[in-house]
Amino acid sequence: MQNERLRALMASGGWTHASLASATGVDPKSVERWVNLGRTPRRATALLAAETLGEDVHALWPALRQARAARAVSPELVALYDQRADLPVSVFVDLLTTARERIDVLVYAAVFLHEAYPRLNDLLRERAADGCTVRIAIGDADSENVRQRGQEERFGHGIESRCRLALMHYRPLADVPGIELRTHGTTLYNSLYRADGEVLVNAHVWGVNAYGAPVWHLRRHEAGGMFDTYADSFNAVWETARPVKE
């Protein structure tokens, strides 16, 4: 997802990737990713870039207004966000890109990933080709729990339709070595997006769509911590899920 505001501002001021990179002390490829992939720089770098361009930092990177630093209540808590809508899709994509050993995704649908990042399947294929184990668990559209979720969110049959759409998106991966796709019918308390020792946990709130519910970013610190709790939860659901055939 391109940052068109940043692109236009740079063009009007005669800034190139290289010149803005020089002014902010980063690599030109970093600036290129800000523009072409919609990546959000670190807060200090973003503030310097915005000052250099004469623009409000939140106008260039709205996510910086919404992100809240995690309080030091757990060594595993990296960041806390008020709602999933506060996170640019690049946060999810960047996390999955870092995976070297394992990717686990547990959702009902989460079609926002494919809609905002059409290369998602290619990314997962690339990770699997590099030796990463990829497990994707999506909601069974015929599950009573999925239907109940739609009623609770006053979403009607929308959630069931989105589960079917998610299956359509992911089905081409069903025969890819290193990738396994399953459907589950469990009550989904949290959506999980794991890459090795990190996970984004999208909590679910009764009557609220997932995009309006909080997200916490965890990084494994020691055995038996919060990260392991969610990793074990994924494994428990995975055991109940049914493999999707090509």
Side-chain angles (χ1 to χ4, degrees):
M1 184 182 300
Q2 298 180 351
N3 189 328
E4 294 297 343
R5 189 182 189 97
L6 177 59
R7 182 192 302 278
L9 193 61
M10 289 176 61
S12 64
W15 291 92
T16 65
H17 295 160
S19 62
L20 185 57
S22 177
T24 54
V26 300
D27 187 272
K29 288 189 176 296
S30 295
V31 178
E32 182 180 354
R33 287 190 285 268
W34 301 348
V35 176
N36 295 331
L37 299 180
R39 302 286 172 81
T40 300
R42 295 179 183 275
R43 183 175 295 275
T45 304
L47 288 168
L48 179 57
E51 181 180 359
T52 300
L53 296 171
E55 178 60 282
D56 178 70
V57 66
H58 296 130
L60 290 174
W61 294 288
L64 291 175
R65 175 185 289 115
Q66 303 295 346
R68 300 289 181 85
R71 294 182 179 179
V73 295
S74 167
E76 295 192 307
L77 188 56
V78 177
L80 174 65
Y81 304 89
D82 288 347
Q83 53 187 8
R84 195 191 74 198
D86 294 341
L87 282 75
V89 172
S90 59
V91 171
F92 294 88
V93 173
D94 288 349
L95 179 67
L96 298 179
T97 300
T98 66
R100 294 296 177 267
E101 297 179 358
R102 176 175 301 283
I103 288 175
D104 289 335
V105 175
L106 171 62
V107 296
Y108 269 165
V111 293
F112 74 94
L113 286 175
H114 278 99
E115 292 172 347
Y117 188 70
R119 283 199 70 257
L120 181 61
N121 282 7
D122 292 333
L123 169 60
L124 295 175
R125 288 190 185 96
E126 292 164 4
R127 293 290 83 238
D130 285 342
C132 193
T133 298
V134 180
R135 298 186 295 178
I136 309 293
I138 59 177
D140 179 351
D142 296 320
S143 164
E144 179 58 35
N145 285 322
V146 169
R147 289 194 290 269
Q148 181 66 31
R149 175 72 179 277
Q151 295 173 12
E152 291 169 358
E153 294 182 357
R154 297 180 293 279
F155 205 29
H157 296 290
I159 185 64
E160 297 160 46
S161 298
R162 292 176 78 80
C163 286
R164 292 190 173 91
L165 180 58
L167 180 58
M168 183 185 74
H169 282 310
Y170 284 114
R171 189 179 288 277
L173 301 176
D175 64 339
V176 176
I179 299 179
E180 190 170 359
L181 176 63
R182 296 186 183 184
T183 58
H184 70 96
T186 62
T187 300
L188 193 62
Y189 299 107
N190 304 276
S191 293
L192 305 176
Y193 307 85
R194 174 188 176 181
D196 295 339
E198 298 189 45
V199 63
L200 292 170
V201 181
N202 185 187
H204 293 306
V205 179
W206 196 95
V208 177
N209 191 283
Y211 65 75
V215 173
W216 40 90
H217 181 177
L218 302 177
R219 181 177 296 124
R220 192 175 191 273
H221 178 67
E222 60 185 11
M226 293 173 64
F227 177 91
D228 283 354
T229 296
Y230 287 107
D232 291 345
S233 173
F234 178 95
N235 290 331
V237 173
W238 188 253
E239 290 302 314
T240 73
R242 298 183 299 175
V244 173
K245 304 300 181 181
E246 182 185 359

